[in-house]
């Protein structure tokens, strides 16, 4: 299957779609994902992802999303088995081309298949969770603003975008220096105006990291009515502790 899914002029798109879904079900069955990784599954899927990103730039051909969905799911699920840095030698999963390819696909999904955006963002989350290299790629390729532009699309998308940003912020002060100043803080204040508990909770998590590693952001937060934004959620049981902790940090700052 992996051999027949190798991108190239001989690749049959219909066959690739069927095999990609087969591979997805095999991965989900948890039979022996380590063996799949050893046999180059990550390499093949990564190359397919790059090939798909190139294809959507070259053609308006319908049906590319049919292959994108299982490829994204397979990569996401395999990456939960092992840290990206540990498999970086296979297909250069640490390569910034992977991140760039995902953002090309995001633009394609926005136009053709918005329901696939969460699939791509989940993969981006799994790529960046344990990889300072790919977090650096997000910053060096100036992809934070395009990521923030996805926030208003849906609550599901918002949570995933905020989770990816948390992955970046938790890497430390050097990463937070590139997140702020910029559009991040105004965007977080907008998400705090929402009522979805999961979105707000992830926003609070990101704010806490930003305040920890970029204390200068606290004053800007206060100047932009941040305390009032927090007060909106101080009675919500699931959020109370985090809201109170941020209020204390803000007042001390």
């Amino acid at each position: 299957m992996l051999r027949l899914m190798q991108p190239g002029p001989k690749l049959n798109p219909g066959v690739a779609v069927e095999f990609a879904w087969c591979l997805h079900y095999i991965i989900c069955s948890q039979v022996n994902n380590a063996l799949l990784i050893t046999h180059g599954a990550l390499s093949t899927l990564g190359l397919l992802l790059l090939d798909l990103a190139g294809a959507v730039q070259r053609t308006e051909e319908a049906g590319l999303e049919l292959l994108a969905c299982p490829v994204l799911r397979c990569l996401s699920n395999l990456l939960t088995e092992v840290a990206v840095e540990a498999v970086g030698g296979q297909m250069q999963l640490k390569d910034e081309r992977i991140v760039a390819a995902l953002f090309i696909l995001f633009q394609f999904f926005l136009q053709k298949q918005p329901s696939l955006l969460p699939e791509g963002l989940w993969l981006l989350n799994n790529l960046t969770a344990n990889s300072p290299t790919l977090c650096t790629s997000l910053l060096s390729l100036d992809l934070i603003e395009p990521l923030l532009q996805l926030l208003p699309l849906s609550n599901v998308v918002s949570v995933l975008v905020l989770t990816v940003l948390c992955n970046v912020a938790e890497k430390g002060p050097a990463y937070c220096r590139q997140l702020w100043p910029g559009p991040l803080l105004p965007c977080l204040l907008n998400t705090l105006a929402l009522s979805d508990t999961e979105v707000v909770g992830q926003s609070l998590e990101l704010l806490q990291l930003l305040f920890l590693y970029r204390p200068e952001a606290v004053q800007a937060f206060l100047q932009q009515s941040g305390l009032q934004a927090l007060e909106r959620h101080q009675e919500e049981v699931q959020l109370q502790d985090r809201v109170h902790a941020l209020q204390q940090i803000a007042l001390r700052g």
Side-chain angles (χ1 to χ4, degrees), residues 25 62 65 73 83 92 122 153 170 172 178 187 194 203 217:
Y25 297 129
E65 70 278 3
R73 288 191 184 183
Q92 307 296 332
W122 181 243
L153 293 176
E170 70 183 5
Q178 296 184 71
C187 287
L194 301 174
S203 300

Side-chain angles (χ1 to χ4, degrees), residues 92-162:
Q92 307 296 332
L93 274 181
K94 292 191 291 182
D95 193 323
E96 64 182 23
R97 289 180 304 160
I98 287 286
V99 174
L102 271 176
F103 277 80
I104 291 168
L105 289 172
F106 289 161
Q107 290 304 310
F108 174 71
F109 296 156
L110 273 170
Q111 298 169 21
K112 303 287 185 180
Q113 197 75 34
S115 62
L116 287 180
L117 276 168
E119 302 285 355
L121 286 165
W122 181 243
L123 174 55
L124 186 61
N125 169 57
N126 288 348
L127 284 166
T128 55
N130 298 304
S131 176
T133 304
L134 292 182
C135 288
T136 299
S137 295
L138 270 180
L139 296 166
S140 63
L141 294 172
D142 293 324
L143 294 173
I144 298 301
E145 284 201 44
L147 194 58
L148 290 171
Q149 288 166 11
L150 300 177
L151 277 173
L153 293 176
S154 72
N155 289 338
V156 172
V157 167
S158 291
V159 169
L160 288 166
V161 167
L162 291 165

Side-chain angles (χ1 to χ4, degrees), residues 177-193:
R177 274 197 295 274
Q178 296 184 71
L179 289 177
W180 188 89
L184 178 58
L185 201 51
C187 287
L188 286 176
L189 287 164
N190 289 337
T191 60
L192 289 178

